[in-house]
């Protein structure tokens, strides 16, 4: 009985295999000649040809208008993550923001730490007084150097040139008077996070300390936390003067320290590590970070509050070079 079944199965198996072999053969012929599939109820996905590679020279411009999206352009040097980061805005809400990124097709930039050129165009109405910020579009350094203990950081070189202009995707700077006339409320700032825990330091929502360096503040609403209490320290970098304000962000419970400038600094090329290190020498009553804590996150961006007409932050030049004593 058992033997008979086995024999029959073996005999049957041959014609089935032959039939399938013929069908598969026909199928691959039809595939190759671009004819519709013969028997597949679910046709195999037709491989879409890869888009033609842009020529190796030249640039590619891409516009990102989504709520939030990390973009990491190909590069032979240090990586950056760009993000429209409209964290306090949802699709359908009034206002909009787009980020335009210009990448070099060869992935090579003037220096190994040069970022792709970008611009951020936006317009939002005035938000609630206790919740006025709509977005923090930014470019974050994606480097192996971070997280690093602050006392191991030997320099944080920032080479930046930026302008704010009235208009959508404009590279033309507007005067302070014109920006004020359009009720622009925003800043241009470096945002850093510090924590005694390596992992929390990399998470802007979890880190205990936020340390900012503002290159500009536009509009009366754009005030650092603790502005009303007055500065707790002053420091000069080259010809630029920064005042330090400090306070607790009631929403996140983070201790926020902000180096603030009265006059917009549209060009800056220097080491900001003195602004980081002097924080440890403060004798404030509030909880302060220690130099053995980790710096886990560093980004440059613009806190977008509100404006009457579309404005554009244009950043044609940016390089962020963080080095530690071990690098
Ligand atoms: C890479 O492309 C940019 C933009 O076209 C160009 O300026 C630069 O010279 C190129 N670099 C190299 C090494 O080919
Ligand atoms: C913004 O990006 C789009 C492509 O997504 C491009 O067509 C447009 O020219 C860019 N704008 C500027 C001012 O570069
Ligand atoms: C700027 O113009 C482009 C092209 O018309 C448009 O897609 C984009 O939404 C505009 N951006 C803003 C912030 O209005």
């Amino acid at each position: 009985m058992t033997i008979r079944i086995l024999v029959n199965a073996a005999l049957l198996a041959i014609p089935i295999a032959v039939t399938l072999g013929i069908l598969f053969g026909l199928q691959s012929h039809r595939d190759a000649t671009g004819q519709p599939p013969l028997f597949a109820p679910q046709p195999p996905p037709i491989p879409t040809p890869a888009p033609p590679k842009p020529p190796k020279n030249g640039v590619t411009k891409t516009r990102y208008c989504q709520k939030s999206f990390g973009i990491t352009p190909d590069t032979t040097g240090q990586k950056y993550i760009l993000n429209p980061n409209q964290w306090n805005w949802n699709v359908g809400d009034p206002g909009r923001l787009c980020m335009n990124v210009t990448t070099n097709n060869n992935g090579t930039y003037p220096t190994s730490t040069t970022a792709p050129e970008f611009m951020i165009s936006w317009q939002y109405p005035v938000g609630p007084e206790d919740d006025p910020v709509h977005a923090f579009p930014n470019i974050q350094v994606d480097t192996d150097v971070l997280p690093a203990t602050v006392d191991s950081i030997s320099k944080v070189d920032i080479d930046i040139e930026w302008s704010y202009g009235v208009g959508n995707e404009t590279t033309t700077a507007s005067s302070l008077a014109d920006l004020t006339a359009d009720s622009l409320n925003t800043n241009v700032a470096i945002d850093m996070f510090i924590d005694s825990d390596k992992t929390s330091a990399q998470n802007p929502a979890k880190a205990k300390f936020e340390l900012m360096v503002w290159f500009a503040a536009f509009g009366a609403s754009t005030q650092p936390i603790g502005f009303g209490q007055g500065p707790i320290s002053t420091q000069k970098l080259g010809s630029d003067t920064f005042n330090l304000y400090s306070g607790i962000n009631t929403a996140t419970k983070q201790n926020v320290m902000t180096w603030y400038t009265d006059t917009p600094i549209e060009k800056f090329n220097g080491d900001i590590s003195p602004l980081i290190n002097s924080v440890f020498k403060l004798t404030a009553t509030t909880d302060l970070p220690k130099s053995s804590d980790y710096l886990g996150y560093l980004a440059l961006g613009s806190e977008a509050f509100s404006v009457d007409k579309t404005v554009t932050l244009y950043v044609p030049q940016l390089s962020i070079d963080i080095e530690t004593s071990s690098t």
Side-chain angles (χ1 to χ4, degrees), residues 14 63 171 176 182 214 311:
I14 293 161
R63 183 189 288 123
T171 58
L176 195 52
D182 288 321
W214 289 20
V311 284

mmCIF file of all heavy atoms in Angstrom, residues 14 63 171 176 182 214 311:
data_model
loop_
_atom_site.group_PDB
_atom_site.id
_atom_site.type_symbol
_atom_site.label_atom_id
_atom_site.label_comp_id
_atom_site.label_asym_id
_atom_site.label_seq_id
_atom_site.Cartn_x
_atom_site.Cartn_y
_atom_site.Cartn_z
ATOM 1 N N ILE A 14 6.688 13.896 -12.054
ATOM 2 C CA ILE A 14 7.444 14.227 -13.263
ATOM 3 C C ILE A 14 6.633 15.133 -14.211
ATOM 4 O O ILE A 14 7.066 16.238 -14.513
ATOM 5 C CB ILE A 14 7.956 12.951 -13.970
ATOM 6 C CG1 ILE A 14 9.012 12.291 -13.056
ATOM 7 C CG2 ILE A 14 8.566 13.263 -15.328
ATOM 8 C CD1 ILE A 14 9.276 10.847 -13.371
ATOM 9 N N ARG A 63 12.938 70.805 -2.409
ATOM 10 C CA ARG A 63 12.086 71.564 -1.477
ATOM 11 C C ARG A 63 11.331 70.594 -0.573
ATOM 12 O O ARG A 63 10.735 69.631 -1.055
ATOM 13 C CB ARG A 63 11.102 72.428 -2.274
ATOM 14 C CG ARG A 63 10.227 73.312 -1.405
ATOM 15 C CD ARG A 63 9.124 73.995 -2.216
ATOM 16 N NE ARG A 63 9.605 75.039 -3.091
ATOM 17 C CZ ARG A 63 9.414 75.065 -4.413
ATOM 18 N NH1 ARG A 63 8.766 74.106 -5.010
ATOM 19 N NH2 ARG A 63 9.880 76.067 -5.132
ATOM 20 N N THR A 171 16.990 85.249 -1.706
ATOM 21 C CA THR A 171 18.351 85.262 -1.170
ATOM 22 C C THR A 171 18.749 86.687 -0.786
ATOM 23 O O THR A 171 19.879 86.936 -0.372
ATOM 24 C CB THR A 171 19.349 84.717 -2.219
ATOM 25 O OG1 THR A 171 19.241 85.517 -3.396
ATOM 26 C CG2 THR A 171 19.048 83.264 -2.562
ATOM 27 N N LEU A 176 16.478 95.635 8.875
ATOM 28 C CA LEU A 176 15.834 95.386 10.163
ATOM 29 C C LEU A 176 14.483 96.113 10.216
ATOM 30 O O LEU A 176 13.490 95.580 10.718
ATOM 31 C CB LEU A 176 16.762 95.862 11.279
ATOM 32 C CG LEU A 176 16.479 95.413 12.698
ATOM 33 C CD1 LEU A 176 16.331 93.901 12.790
ATOM 34 C CD2 LEU A 176 17.583 95.899 13.632
ATOM 35 N N ASP A 182 7.064 94.098 9.116
ATOM 36 C CA ASP A 182 6.241 92.912 8.832
ATOM 37 C C ASP A 182 6.048 92.044 10.078
ATOM 38 O O ASP A 182 5.644 90.885 9.978
ATOM 39 C CB ASP A 182 6.858 92.111 7.690
ATOM 40 C CG ASP A 182 6.684 92.831 6.361
ATOM 41 O OD1 ASP A 182 5.619 93.419 6.153
ATOM 42 O OD2 ASP A 182 7.622 92.821 5.546
ATOM 43 N N TRP A 214 22.334 82.696 20.587
ATOM 44 C CA TRP A 214 21.507 83.392 19.602
ATOM 45 C C TRP A 214 22.372 84.355 18.792
ATOM 46 O O TRP A 214 23.151 85.130 19.361
ATOM 47 C CB TRP A 214 20.391 84.180 20.301
ATOM 48 C CG TRP A 214 19.305 83.322 20.895
ATOM 49 C CD1 TRP A 214 19.385 81.992 21.218
ATOM 50 C CD2 TRP A 214 17.973 83.744 21.246
ATOM 51 N NE1 TRP A 214 18.191 81.562 21.744
ATOM 52 C CE2 TRP A 214 17.306 82.605 21.779
ATOM 53 C CE3 TRP A 214 17.286 84.955 21.174
ATOM 54 C CZ2 TRP A 214 15.981 82.662 22.218
ATOM 55 C CZ3 TRP A 214 15.970 85.017 21.625
ATOM 56 C CH2 TRP A 214 15.326 83.880 22.127
ATOM 57 N N VAL A 311 8.682 85.112 4.901
ATOM 58 C CA VAL A 311 10.082 85.522 5.033
ATOM 59 C C VAL A 311 10.980 84.314 4.771
ATOM 60 O O VAL A 311 10.530 83.171 4.856
ATOM 61 C CB VAL A 311 10.407 86.075 6.441
ATOM 62 C CG1 VAL A 311 9.872 87.477 6.630
ATOM 63 C CG2 VAL A 311 9.899 85.127 7.534
#
